Each structure stands twice: as structure tokens, then as C-alpha cells.
Amino acid sequence: MELNANIPSGPLAEKWDRYRFERKLVSPANKRKYDIIVVGTGLAGASASATLAELGYAVKTFCIQDSPRRAHSIAAQGGINAAKNYANDGDSIWRLFYDTIKGGDFRAREANVYRLAQVSNEIIDQAVAQGIPFARDYGGLLANRSFGGAQVSRTFYARGQTGQQLLLGAYSALMRQAAAGKVTIVPRREMLDLVLVNGRARGIVVRNLITGEVENHSAHAVVLCTGGYGNVYFLSTNAMASNVTACYRAYKRGAVFANPCYTQIHPTCIPVHGDYQSKLTLMSESLRNDGRVWVPKKPGDKRPPREIPEEERDYYLENKYPSFGNLVPRDVASRNAKEQCDMGKGVGETGRAVYLDFEDAIRRDGKDVIAQKYGNLFQMYEKITGENPYETPMMIYPAVHYTMGGLWVDYNLMSTIPGLFVLGEANFSDHGANRLGASALMQGLADGYFVLPYTIGGYLAAESFPDVPVDHPAFKEAARDVQARVERFLAVGGKRTVDDFHRELGHIMWEHCGMARTNEGLNKAKGMIQALRGEFWENVKVPGSERDFNQSLERAGRVADFLEFGELMITDALARQESCGCHLNEAYQTEENEAKRDDENFCHVACWEYAGDDKEPVFHKEPLVFENVELTQRSYK
């Protein structure tokens, strides 16, 4: 298989403009002839659905929740990046592009990342026009704050609810088109297979989560906006319904998966507090603007934080990275927190936490100012932990958050299956080996509002599409496969719950493919996952009926896919014999324990093609060519 990224020719800053001029268009009168399926209603899915319908396409949008408003994008807190330079502190499109490339440890495509930086400013204009209540300064201008990995203030925010407010804006645009009859919203459906006709994506098979009915839906193109796969670790900051199934079904139909081992560990989460916890809670990275991260200098010091004098505290990020301080990128902050805890300097009952302290900020700016910036986050922390962060430091520890890997896409955001487009966190496209904070919302909205409407039109204009009814043999075959899989889950009749298997898988992944990896641990994990998968199919207990609302059955399908996908992540991590961004193989570190890349052998996107059950996937690579950025060892000192 040859991977062609289809990057336009010409200077970097002119590629997107050249592309838009040269790309074929669909005339307004013809757009209504095309049906497009969008799976997912987060920022990428809602914005894509609304924009495509506004252009005239007939859109059918599926969401796993009861309402598009419940998509996981709503949980994003801290902000969205754009190169407006409102702070007048030296920002530019080029600087946003460079910071994103560097933040991803030089493992992302230049052309895609530059396009993202270019359209970032249009996103803010779009959001303001929709009435998004961004924070403003005293004069009424939009306010900005800093985020990790940047030395300028470019993050627009709505207190700690930025994702929620942006999603409500995209949802409003979506519902306007639904009211106009241009979008059909199909809630409480889970995509369980992709249908190909003559090698092209022509529809999906879904299960109605209320009635259990298996349904076929056809279209001229399919757009996946189904988010990331962080829940493979069981404990993560993701919503409980977040899963890999839609992308993994597409992978099994021939879509190549790229960089699956790139998983972001967020440094600012509420620590694990029990064996039977089902998810973790994120505390926004924006808190690192004013909060100072520290641990006691003396290992084993269990005194209350306010009893530890200043001279006995180690502000380790400020000491080690004087230029960036507490605002180093997430992978760097996470590894340093783990390092401190491994040295015995962790705090709290478990010793797996560090302090995030606002004492200096409250003394400097006053409690009211801090409450205005972070009040809802402080309330959330107190509600979960029972401690008041205005009076005692927060305790935080890294947790699985975002996944940079995803289905491989070219410059058009199209996968290796013609007609299957992938947006937002579901693709691998823009973040390399580590995503900078406040860039997820930027990518999701850029893909949906400003990129896909051009690229999908070029695909539709260049092809002819015979009618494919939902009773086409390809649909019947896919529906039979889905039904057989459902019946197989119910027939096992074992003794272990689905969650029990999921929890064990998550423990294996966290221990051996988490913040640090070793070849020995990865090989061990591969065998453990294979054994666990074998036991799953012999001993899983899925009660209830297929023709009913059955959450155990839903979870069984997702965990079965995680049990296969986890092994793919391990395979990818073993193949990348270097360290980069979030992927730290302990054999490849600098003297200061930073990730040490091998640009000669691994400056590529690792791509995996499905070869059949119980067979090793086929490896392909897309070389990464850097013509505008010099490859250097990342430094945030």
C-alpha cells in the first residue's frame, strides 16, 4: 500500500490557498443530490454537519448519546488556541505553527499543522459571531491566557467551560439546519460497522441502543468524528461512552491506523482514590498559569502542606525549566510528576500526587480575582475531594487524557478508504507525539468548519456514484456480521463482568504502555493481553437481551475492541525504538531524562494495516519531511 498524503505543491504559507483554488467544486444545485453521513456530534461532528448542511448537502448525523449536546467535547475546560496576537506579545501564525510542531516533538506533518494555524483565527471570529461568551478584558476585548508549550498568551477561554460553550455554539448551528430539514439527527445509535461498495465507503451499520434493532444507512461519503481511544486504559478523563469501536471497525475494513501508541497523559488530574473508581477528573491546564507545582524536598515528608516551610519545598518545574516553568508541555510535566513520586516525594495517602498551590496567586491578586478565573474548577475540586483549594493546595497526578494517534488521513482528511473522512481526535493528523493544551478544540472546529467543506466537495465532484440502497448485498453482509457478533456476546454465559475485564486491561496498559515504556514490559503486556482476550471470549458474562436497552451488551462490544486495539498499541510502541513526546521508551533518554528522538530511523508516521484476526498487522510508514522547521532536541529551559 502506498500512502500518498496529497500535500499541495508550493511554499508552505500558500499551500492551502492554492489547494482551495485548484480543488474541484460541487455546484450549489448539485450539492443537494449528495447524502453525507456524519458519525459523532462533538465539536468536529457538529461543526461539520452544520457547515455541510448550510452548503446544501443532505446530512444524516448520528450520536451515541440522547442529545448532541452530551458529546465529550463538552468536558474540555481551559481554552482554544488562535494566533490573533491580541496580547501583542509576539504571536503569529508562524509561531503557532512552530509551537505545535515542536510540542509534538517533530512528529507531525508541516502542511497540515500550518493549515491549522492559518484557520485558527477564523474559528474565533465564527465563535464570537455565534455568541460564545469568551472572557473579555476591562476594555471589552477578548482576553487571552497562557498554556503549556508556548511563551505567548494565545488561548481564548470561557472560564473553565470553554468546550461546553463552543459545543453549544456548534449545536445551535446544527439544530438550525435540523429545523430547516437539511440535517437528520439520529440519536442513541452506535456505529458497529462500515459498509464498502466497490472499495468506497458508502454507509454504516448501527445498533439502536434503546430497541436493539440493527439498522443500515447509506450515503455518498462517511465522516467519522468519534473522538479518541483513551478509555482503553479504563481509568481516564474521557466520558464513559468514549470508545474506539467506530474507528476500529473502519480499520478492519481497510483504513490504516496511524501512531496508535501516542497517548497523552495529562499532568493535572485529581488522583485515583479507590480500586473501584470508574473514571478520572481533569483539572484544567489553565490552572498552571497561577498555580505553582511543588513537592517536599525531603522524601517521605507527610506533614500537611501549610506546615512545610518555603525553604523545604521543591518547585521542581520552575527550577528545572526556568523559561517555561509550570507551563511546560503536558508530556514533560507528567513525566516530572511521576519522577518526583518515584523518588518518594509524592504527597497524599497514596504518595502518587503533587501539590498545585494557589497561595502566592491569592496573596498577589486576591481571592476574588482567582475565583473569577477558576471558580467553577475550584468548586468541582472541592465537591470531589472535600478540600477547599483556596485554603489548601490541590493534589494532582497525571492521567490518560487525549490520543494523538488515530486513523491515517491525507491532506484532504480522507483515510485510505476512499469516501471515508476522519476529523478531530479520531484522526492522527495535527499533534504529532504530544498535543499542546488548547489545541484539541482548535483542531476539531478547524476540521469541521473550514477544512472538510472544501475537501469533501473535491472528492464528490471527481467521482460518479451509482445508487446503493440499504438492501444492497454489502449492507446485508455487514448487518449479518454485526448480528452474529451480538449473539456471540450473549452466548458466552461466563462469570466475569465486562467491567472486570476492562479494569484488568486498563491496569496492564497503564503499567506497561503508560507514561514510561520498556521493551521488556511491552512484550510482557502483549502476552498478557492475548491471554486476557482468550479468557474474555470464554468467561465474559453479558446478561439481558439483544432486543432491549442493554448497557452490558454495549460495553462488551467496546471492550472486545479495546482488547484487540490494546495489542495494536503495544505493537506500535515496540516498533518505535526511540522516545518522542508522550512515547518514552526508557532505553532512549537524554542525560536529563527527556525524550531522545532518532530522526534518522523514526522520522515517520507509523501506519498499521489490518491483516486478519490473530495475524500481525502490516507496517507502512509515511516519511515526514521538514523543509521549514529545523529538527532539534526539544528544550523548554
Side-chain angles (χ1 to χ4, degrees), residues 118-177:
Q118 277 180 293
V119 303
S120 67
N121 292 339
E122 299 175 52
I123 299 170
I124 303 304
D125 296 339
Q126 171 89 358
V128 170
Q130 290 174 334
I132 304 304
F134 284 127
R136 294 178 180 268
D137 63 22
Y138 181 76
L141 299 177
L142 297 183
N144 290 109
R145 59 188 177 195
S146 301
F147 256 61
Q151 291 178 304
V152 295
S153 294
R154 64 161 65 102
T155 303
F156 296 78
Y157 62 99
R159 295 188 74 182
Q161 313 171 349
T162 314
Q164 178 178 354
Q165 298 300 334
L166 287 168
L167 185 62
L168 288 173
Y171 169 77
S172 299
L174 171 62
M175 294 310 294
R176 176 172 171 267
Q177 295 304 315

Side-chain angles (χ1 to χ4, degrees), residues 77-363:
Q77 298 169 341
I80 176 170
N81 288 330
K84 287 285 195 182
N85 195 31
Y86 284 171
N88 197 29
D89 57 358
D91 202 9
S92 63
I93 289 172
W94 183 268
R95 188 177 292 276
L96 174 54
F97 155 71
Y98 178 78
D99 285 348
T100 306
I101 287 283
K102 177 184 174 184
D105 215 352
F106 304 94
R107 290 294 178 262
R109 260 192 225 132
E110 282 189 338
N112 287 62
V113 177
Y114 193 86
R115 176 175 64 186
L116 176 66
Q118 277 180 293
V119 303
S120 67
N121 292 339
E122 299 175 52
I123 299 170
I124 303 304
D125 296 339
Q126 171 89 358
V128 170
Q130 290 174 334
I132 304 304
F134 284 127
R136 294 178 180 268
D137 63 22
Y138 181 76
L141 299 177
L142 297 183
N144 290 109
R145 59 188 177 195
S146 301
F147 256 61
Q151 291 178 304
V152 295
S153 294
R154 64 161 65 102
T155 303
F156 296 78
Y157 62 99
R159 295 188 74 182
Q161 313 171 349
T162 314
Q164 178 178 354
Q165 298 300 334
L166 287 168
L167 185 62
L168 288 173
Y171 169 77
S172 299
L174 171 62
M175 294 310 294
R176 176 172 171 267
Q177 295 304 315
K182 296 180 179 179
V183 174
T184 301
I185 297 176
V186 191
R188 302 300 284 156
R189 302 299 197 280
E190 182 169 19
M191 175 181 157
L192 294 181
D193 211 345
L194 177 73
V195 178
L196 273 60
V197 177
N198 297 325
R200 299 184 178 278
R202 292 302 305 268
I204 60 174
V205 178
V206 301
R207 181 174 179 270
N208 184 319
L209 298 181
I210 304 299
T211 68
E213 183 180 357
V214 174
E215 304 170 353
N216 298 337
H217 298 270
S218 69
H220 296 95
V222 176
V223 183
L224 292 188
C225 310
T226 52
Y229 47 84
N231 275 350
V232 69
Y233 291 87
F234 186 69
L235 285 179
S236 81
T237 66
N238 287 209
M240 295 295 288
S242 298
N243 63 83
V244 77
T245 291
C247 286
Y248 196 67
R249 298 291 104 201
Y251 163 73
K252 283 198 157 185
R253 290 292 182 186
V256 166
F257 216 105
N259 297 333
C261 80
Y262 287 166
T263 307
Q264 180 168 82
I265 313 293
H266 197 294
T268 318
C269 299
I270 296 178
V272 175
H273 61 256
D275 290 339
Y276 292 96
Q277 198 169 339
S278 58
K279 77 178 298 294
L280 296 172
T281 303
L282 171 70
M283 300 307 297
S284 170
E285 181 175 313
S286 63
L287 294 169
R288 290 198 276 147
N289 271 285
D290 289 296
R292 301 180 71 193
V293 179
W294 65 274
V295 292
K297 286 184 177 179
K298 184 180 177 182
D301 189 340
K302 294 300 181 182
R303 287 177 291 171
R306 291 292 175 251
E307 293 182 12
I308 301 176
E310 191 74 14
E311 62 272 14
E312 294 181 34
R313 300 179 181 186
D314 181 3
Y315 295 92
Y316 57 90
L317 291 178
E318 297 174 28
N319 297 334
K320 191 172 180 181
Y321 306 98
S323 289
F324 283 77
N326 293 300
L327 287 172
V328 292
R330 292 173 176 178
D331 60 323
V332 177
S334 294
R335 281 197 295 272
N336 276 272
K338 180 180 184 295
E339 183 180 46
Q340 295 298 319
C341 293
D342 289 346
M343 292 164 59
K345 294 157 72 175
V347 301
E349 292 183 10
T350 64
R352 308 305 292 180
V354 299
Y355 288 127
L356 181 62
D357 195 341
F358 289 85
E359 183 180 23
D360 286 354
I362 292 171
R363 187 186 305 120

Side-chain angles (χ1 to χ4, degrees), residues 549-615:
F549 177 67
N550 188 341
Q551 290 190 305
S552 293
L553 180 58
E554 292 173 36
R555 290 177 181 143
R558 296 166 197 166
V559 172
D561 286 332
F562 278 141
L563 282 164
E564 295 183 22
F565 182 71
E567 187 176 344
L568 181 64
M569 293 174 66
I570 299 289
T571 300
D572 185 44
L574 279 167
R576 189 167 285 280
Q577 290 296 298
E578 65 164 354
S579 292
C580 57
C582 68
H583 169 67
L584 184 82
N585 185 318
E586 291 185 358
Y588 306 99
Q589 303 180 60
T590 67
E591 293 180 359
E592 297 178 326
N593 304 115
E594 305 289 2
K596 187 176 182 180
R597 298 194 320 271
D598 179 354
D599 293 329
E600 184 176 346
N601 296 302
F602 295 97
C603 191
H604 60 246
V605 179
C607 305
W608 300 94
E609 181 185 6
Y610 177 68
D613 290 339
D614 299 319
K615 293 182 180 178

